[in-house]
Amino acid sequence: MEVSINLRCKKYVAHFLRQKHGHNPLMDKETSDGIFFLNVLNRQRKERELAFSSYGEKVTIHISYRNFERYGGELTKTAMIDFNRYMELRLKQVFVAHMEALVDIAGFQQHAAIRLFQQKNGLTDEEWSFYALKKHYQRYLEEQNTLKAA
């Protein structure tokens, strides 16, 4: 038996969740994503709820009834934000690793590497735009240059 929990999230986070865990994701203690999700259940904190309005997508997450009994099934807005942030950071790490491999090692142009990332991961410009990806990579490079200079 499973329990369904609705999770609001950004479009590219919803896409990433479905891509990595299927259309009806089952979260359990067998994956790091599942462990994190179970740990944000039943939280009572109320901070950071203003950021919640940018989460327009919904993904229904499934957990076993046993985990429901153990962790609960309430997902507060703060917990949704925490889980979204976790998944967003994971996706951004995948993106940076992709860019480093193609741009730094294989000599691709940034433009081509970004488009290939979108294509490879089935991301449309509406879900995670080329310009947002480019901006994120530029920030990453600036951060790396700052660390090297220090």
Side-chain angles (χ1 to χ4, degrees), residues 48-59:
R48 292 186 307 225
E49 290 193 3
L50 293 176
F52 189 72
S53 63
S54 66
Y55 297 169
E57 290 290 308
K58 283 190 180 177
V59 176

Side-chain angles (χ1 to χ4, degrees), residues 38-139:
L38 293 172
N39 284 320
V40 299
L41 286 174
N42 206 20
R43 289 215 177 149
Q44 297 301 318
R45 297 183 327 204
K46 298 290 184 191
E47 60 208 49
R48 292 186 307 225
E49 290 193 3
L50 293 176
F52 189 72
S53 63
S54 66
Y55 297 169
E57 290 290 308
K58 283 190 180 177
V59 176
T60 301
I61 304 288
H62 301 273
I63 61 173
S64 69
Y65 189 74
R66 182 172 185 228
N67 281 331
F68 171 73
E69 288 179 328
R70 181 177 293 157
Y71 297 98
E74 182 181 350
L75 197 58
T76 65
K77 290 179 182 179
T78 299
M80 285 187 202
I81 292 167
D82 288 347
F83 187 70
N84 266 273
R85 184 70 183 133
Y86 168 77
M87 294 304 296
E88 185 176 358
L89 288 171
R90 284 203 53 226
L91 181 55
K92 286 179 177 180
Q93 288 171 342
V94 170
F95 170 65
V96 166
H98 166 90
M99 292 298 288
E100 286 179 335
L102 291 184
V103 174
D104 296 345
I105 297 170
F108 276 59
Q109 296 293 317
Q110 282 186 21
H111 179 273
I114 292 169
R115 288 294 184 204
L116 188 58
F117 177 80
Q118 286 179 305
Q119 180 183 3
K120 178 182 169 190
N121 291 283
L123 288 164
T124 65
D125 266 344
E126 184 179 308
E127 290 169 323
W128 201 5
S129 75
F130 171 86
Y131 297 104
L133 287 163
K134 182 178 177 182
K135 187 176 177 180
H136 175 70
Y137 189 61
Q138 288 171 342
R139 284 185 192 142

